[in-house]
Amino acid sequence: MADTQYILPNDIGVSSLDCREAFRLLSPTERLYAHHLSRAAWYGGLAVLLQTSPEAPHIYALLSRLFRAQDPDQLRQHALAEGLTEEEYQAFLVYAAGIYSNMGNYKSFGDTKFVPNLPKEKLERVILGSEAAQQNPEIVRGFWQTCSERMFSLEPRLRHLGLGKEGITTYFSGDCTMEDAKLAQDFLDSQNLSAYNTRLFKATGPDGKPCYEVRLASVLGTEPHPDSEVSSRLKSYEFRGSHFQVTRGDYAPLLQKVVEHLEKAKTHAANSHQDRMLAQYIDSFTQGSIEAHKRGSRFWIQDKSPIVESYIGFIESYRDPFGSRGEFEGFVAMVNKAMSAKFECLVASAEQLLKELPWPPAFEKDKFLTPDFTSLDVLTFAGSGIPAGINIPNYDDLRQTEGFKNVSLGNVLAVAYATKREKLTFLEEEDKDLYIRWKGPSFDVQVGLHELLGHGSGKLFVQDEKGAFNFDQATVVNPETGEQIQSWYRSGETWDSKFSTIASSYEECRAESVGLYLCLHPRVLEIFGFEGADAEDVIYVNWLNMVRAGLLALEFYTPEASSWRQAHMQARFVILRVLLEAGEGLVTVTPTMGSDGRPDARVRLDRSKIQSVGKPALERFLRRLQVLKSTGDVAGGRALYEGYSAVTDAPPECFLTLRDTVLLRKESRKLIVQPNTRLEGSDVQLLEYEASAAGLIRSFSDRFLEDGPELEETLTQLAAADACFWKGPSETPPGQA
């Protein structure tokens, strides 16, 4: 059997999202709007398979074909007859549910590969003897032969997502290196093109020079079309001795379905903001235009407090090894009015709370653009995973001048982050009951502060294309050096493009630190209904949860590559390091032996020193983070952040040794079962599923009932068309051995 790092355990937690009451309260028109937006999100979410690994689309197609012919209960009888044990069949169901949940065979949280926890030859017997194989033997055998080798392979380079020798990625062809990624980013910046909806493919031209294809995601291909905004960019370029060719048409058949459902949703829009927003999204996905998506995002920001909230596109760049390309994501949700009222109070206090942050006023936005902040019950979240909260859009220019929206995903928080006492690790016994009692409420506070005042705060110093600055060069002083500002962002540069590989984690660390810092403010706790001893307990558990998360983060560090695989967890480890460095016994991490005779550890936080020791340490750190970000000081930012991110075995913590303990006692992230909507006449029905691996599989089988075979063919054809790009120096593309 495989190393436990690379399997999903049979007893993995599975929860169902409950949005029944929120959906019931929607009007018939709102339900139709939500239904078509959900369909658009689910179709677009399939692109994530193509953004993850070469084999992911083939694995998905195989599973889709298998479970359309026989549901999990029917297939179980066949599997047991083929000699599988109950445990082995459950392992297969968990693997299949993991593929659907992560939209690929790499964990969305940590970017680690997972493989089936049963012998390959047994799974082969089940698949080739299945009803699906009886119906279409050549197709099923072809799927299996194409993906089975890579499905089970734990060759070192295939264990994690990464670029070049560090791992596997399909954002770049297999021969691309970090130097290629940097060159491509410089090229994109020179042409004022965004990387968000692109992939990069490298070849060698007839003259022996590198030739790069920058491929935009769009319905349209390279055929002539009157959309001059993008068409005029589709040509060859020479840049620093290399050829660049800008093309489009990536994921075209999938985006065609996205557009079709956005068109249908548009007919049920509640107002002109939604109508114009969807028109721009349609234009964006049709043309391959990020500028059109930005225009749509402007209308989205202006659509305040809608009953049905949504966002869709190439959004988060966490899984691009370079940190610039967006993974497809789409969500649809309904407002939770009770929690949203608390968030509205937080927004009303935001301008005053921003003044509490530890940097000079010149480093804060000139005007706080009051955002929408709502708690939502998710109906649909398509992509590789579901977060607890979101602050979007991610476009720096919009965030600085137009604003943003914050959402907290209430029904996700209710199930994904619930903890059973017997599964709580690394805490003192006397902390466990308090932790369970206050983890949920404290997390609501942290998410609210993280999204609104973490991601929503801070100014970037920019010089525009005309040479004008958005800050006063003569008077603004760097509080760390006492000198005038020496660096800033030039026209075309963004936070992601400039800070690249550390941008996502650095920003998450800044937002988490703001949450910890401002949760100490009495007004914040009053807004959420906490006073006196309860308020003190919320503060303590919020800080304790962050410190514990910093230790748990070690699971996502790869010693062989000295690299982190998950932005949020790297951020939490950095905060742990900062608080340990504060000294005076504020935080201690102590190795112990567990009652089972295996290595263990305990995290302690001295609650009496949070204000006197923890707050000043966090204040100093936060100020440095913001100043380096505002000034675009990449060298300083990297030195600070990578210094705190370093994992060594130096005493007293011995983090590399502690990592082994964390891996020994880690708990897998829960799988989330989402409902479906189904159109019956003019009515939209909500379909719910049991909280199990089998229930999650059934939800996906039902999701694409009408066009399952067509989607399988589309995905495998798109993957096969690019298979040549994943061939390494001594590697044959999957299925071509």
Side-chain angles (χ1 to χ4, degrees):
M1 292 296 108
D3 185 321
T4 55
Q5 283 188 71
Y6 305 108
I7 61 168
L8 302 178
N10 278 14
D11 63 351
I12 192 169
V14 185
S15 297
S16 292
L17 279 188
D18 180 9
C19 63
R20 188 183 310 128
E21 181 61 16
F23 185 80
R24 185 185 67 81
L25 294 173
L26 296 182
S27 71
T29 299
E30 290 162 351
R31 290 187 184 189
L32 285 164
Y33 183 67
H35 167 73
H36 288 297
L37 289 175
S38 292
R39 298 307 299 159
W42 286 124
Y43 282 119
L46 295 174
V48 177
L49 294 160
L50 296 154
Q51 293 180 303
T52 300
S53 71
E55 66 275 13
H58 300 285
I59 296 173
Y60 175 92
L62 176 64
L63 296 173
S64 173
R65 180 67 58 125
L66 200 63
F67 289 113
R68 274 194 302 102
Q70 292 171 283
D71 84 357
D73 288 343
Q74 294 168 333
L75 190 63
R76 175 178 171 273
Q77 301 305 318
H78 163 62
L80 297 181
E82 289 287 354
L84 268 68
T85 65
E86 289 280 6
E87 291 74 20
E88 288 169 335
Y89 183 62
Q90 178 62 20
F92 173 55
L93 291 185
V94 166
Y95 176 77
I99 295 292
Y100 289 138
S101 190
N102 292 278
M103 269 292 100
N105 56 331
Y106 287 77
K107 297 175 188 175
S108 64
F109 206 80
D111 297 341
T112 303
K113 188 175 186 179
F114 57 96
V115 300
N117 189 24
L118 71 159
K120 181 180 176 184
E121 59 275 12
K122 283 193 170 184
L123 182 55
E124 181 174 34
R125 287 206 303 271
V126 171
I127 288 170
L128 298 185
S130 67
E131 184 66 31
Q134 304 301 317
Q135 295 171 0
N136 300 101
E138 290 185 11
I139 290 176
V140 172
R141 183 175 291 277
F143 286 164
W144 175 252
Q145 289 177 342
T146 302
C147 70
S148 58
E149 193 67 35
R150 289 285 281 264
M151 180 191 289
F152 280 85
S153 176
L154 286 174
E155 175 191 325
R157 180 171 171 259
L158 302 181
R159 293 175 185 174
H160 307 289
L161 296 180
L163 187 55
K165 296 178 181 178
E166 301 301 324
I168 190 73
T169 178
T170 48
Y171 284 112
F172 299 85
S173 55
D175 53 355
C176 281
T177 64
M178 198 57 78
E179 289 71 30
D180 294 313
K182 178 67 172 70
L183 178 66
Q185 186 63 57
D186 289 346
F187 164 72
L188 290 168
D189 289 344
S190 75
Q191 298 299 318
N192 204 22
L193 276 170
S194 171
Y196 270 118
N197 66 340
T198 70
R199 292 198 289 169
L200 185 72
F201 301 93
K202 180 182 178 183
T204 302
D207 57 2
K209 292 181 180 179
C211 184
Y212 300 93
E213 178 194 358
V214 175
R215 190 188 301 169
L216 311 180
S218 67
V219 175
L220 295 175
T222 52
E223 67 276 4
H225 198 271
D227 60 300
S228 58
E229 182 176 45
V230 176
S231 288
S232 61
R233 307 291 193 92
L234 304 177
K235 59 184 180 182
S236 296
Y237 301 79
E238 290 293 320
F239 185 77
R240 294 184 190 167
S242 295
H243 303 299
F244 279 84
Q245 180 79 36
V246 177
T247 68
R248 66 179 173 188
D250 219 359
Y251 326 119
L254 300 176
L255 292 178
Q256 177 63 50
K257 289 182 175 290
V258 172
V259 166
E260 287 170 4
H261 280 282
L262 291 180
E263 293 275 16
K264 292 176 180 177
K266 191 168 174 288
T267 66
H268 304 291
N271 54 53
S272 62
H273 292 311
Q274 290 180 1
D275 185 87
R276 295 161 81 186
M277 168 190 82
L278 292 175
Q280 292 297 328
Y281 290 166
I282 290 163
D283 194 30
S284 172
F285 297 136
T286 301
Q287 287 194 46
S289 168
I290 289 297
E291 288 304 313
H293 197 268
K294 283 185 181 181
R295 291 193 291 271
S297 296
R298 283 192 178 91
F299 293 123
W300 179 74
I301 293 167
Q302 294 164 17
D303 185 26
K304 302 289 187 183
S305 303
I307 301 298
V308 177
E309 184 62 282
S310 68
Y311 198 61
I312 190 168
F314 296 89
I315 311 299
E316 302 293 354
S317 58
Y318 301 127
R319 299 182 93 190
D320 169 14
F322 190 71
S324 293
R325 287 153 190 79
E327 183 175 83
F328 194 95
E329 178 181 291
F331 78 84
V332 184
M334 294 80 68
V335 174
N336 177 320
K337 292 184 178 179
M339 182 56 79
S340 294
K342 295 179 181 179
F343 288 143
E344 286 169 13
C345 290
L346 189 64
V347 170
S349 301
E351 288 193 79
Q352 289 304 310
L353 291 171
L354 283 171
K355 295 174 183 176
E356 302 293 327
L357 291 172
W359 48 78
F363 286 75
E364 193 47 70
K365 293 183 181 74
D366 301 330
K367 180 176 178 6
F368 180 69
L369 300 162
T370 304
D372 222 12
F373 196 171
T374 49
S375 177
L376 303 175
D377 284 344
V378 171
L379 170 65
T380 295
F381 205 111
S384 66
I386 312 178
I390 317 171
N391 176 287
I392 39 182
N394 286 331
Y395 305 119
D396 290 335
D397 49 350
L398 290 193
R399 296 173 65 79
Q400 296 286 319
T401 60
E402 308 271 345
F404 51 88
K405 280 189 185 182
N406 299 275
V407 296
S408 173
L409 305 180
N411 59 342
V412 176
L413 285 168
V415 297
Y417 297 90
T419 309
K420 293 181 179 177
R421 195 182 198 281
E422 61 271 19
K423 290 196 172 186
L424 260 184
T425 52
F426 308 127
L427 293 181
E428 298 286 3
E429 282 299 314
E430 59 265 29
D431 279 333
K432 288 185 177 179
D433 289 335
L434 194 70
Y435 183 88
I436 289 170
R437 166 76 178 83
W438 292 108
K439 184 190 176 188
S442 71
F443 203 58
D444 284 337
V445 174
Q446 179 68 13
V447 168
L449 294 171
H450 173 118
E451 300 296 347
L452 175 65
L453 297 166
H455 291 314
S457 64
K459 177 176 180 173
L460 302 184
F461 294 159
V462 178
Q463 181 183 26
D464 66 22
E465 65 278 2
K466 297 177 182 177
F469 291 87
N470 69 342
F471 65 99
D472 188 338
Q473 281 187 292
T475 61
V476 177
V477 172
N478 184 325
E480 295 292 303
T481 65
E483 300 173 352
Q484 288 183 314
I485 303 304
Q486 303 294 318
S487 58
W488 49 83
Y489 296 79
R490 264 87 179 171
S491 176
E493 290 183 332
T494 67
W495 164 249
D496 280 336
S497 70
K498 204 164 173 64
F499 281 72
S500 65
T501 54
I502 66 166
S504 292
S505 184
Y506 189 113
E507 174 59 12
E508 291 304 326
C509 186
R510 198 182 68 88
E512 291 283 44
S513 298
V514 167
L516 280 190
Y517 187 75
L518 288 180
C519 83
L520 302 174
H521 199 287
R523 174 60 184 144
V524 168
L525 297 166
E526 286 172 15
I527 288 169
F528 284 88
F530 306 121
E531 297 179 342
D534 285 354
E536 292 301 315
D537 285 344
V538 166
I539 291 171
Y540 176 63
V541 170
N542 195 32
W543 279 59
L544 180 64
N545 187 46
M546 188 63 69
V547 169
R548 176 175 179 261
L551 179 61
L552 295 175
L554 288 167
E555 175 190 343
F556 302 96
Y557 179 76
T558 305
E560 298 82 3
S562 299
S563 65
W564 286 89
R565 304 188 311 275
Q566 216 290 326
H568 297 79
M569 298 311 282
Q570 180 182 1
R572 291 162 189 169
F573 177 77
V574 167
I575 293 171
L576 171 61
R577 287 282 311 277
V578 169
L579 298 180
L580 282 166
E581 190 181 85
E584 299 188 41
L586 172 68
V587 173
T588 56
V589 182
T590 310
T592 62
M593 291 301 291
S595 57
D596 57 4
R598 300 187 301 169
D600 206 341
R602 290 291 177 268
V603 170
R604 295 181 180 88
L605 170 68
D606 187 338
R607 67 190 296 167
S608 70
K609 295 179 179 176
I610 291 174
Q611 294 277 3
S612 61
V613 180
K615 183 179 180 181
L618 203 57
E619 186 173 293
R620 290 189 296 272
F621 177 64
L622 246 181
R623 182 166 51 247
R624 292 179 71 192
L625 283 178
Q626 183 56 50
V627 168
L628 292 165
K629 179 180 178 180
S630 288
T631 58
D633 184 351
V634 179
R638 281 194 176 278
L640 173 70
Y641 201 67
E642 291 174 351
Y644 277 115
S645 298
V647 179
T648 71
D649 233 7
E653 286 79 27
C654 305
F655 283 120
L656 282 175
T657 300
L658 278 172
R659 178 179 178 273
D660 294 335
T661 303
V662 170
L663 289 174
L664 185 68
R665 298 187 176 276
K666 73 183 181 74
E667 182 182 358
S668 294
R669 198 169 172 83
K670 285 182 181 177
L671 304 179
I672 304 294
V673 183
Q674 299 186 54
N676 283 317
T677 54
R678 180 173 294 166
L679 193 57
E680 296 182 358
S682 60
D683 295 330
V684 179
Q685 303 299 318
L686 184 71
L687 305 180
E688 298 174 287
Y689 302 85
E690 66 177 19
S692 67
L696 201 157
I697 291 166
R698 289 189 182 99
S699 74
F700 265 86
S701 294
D702 286 354
R703 198 153 284 149
F704 303 109
L705 268 181
E706 297 81 10
D707 50 6
E710 176 195 340
L711 291 171
E712 292 157 16
E713 184 177 3
T714 293
L715 285 165
T716 53
Q717 285 180 349
L718 289 173
D722 289 329
C724 60
F725 288 115
W726 323 125
K727 182 179 178 182
S730 59
E731 183 184 349
T732 302
Q736 295 182 23

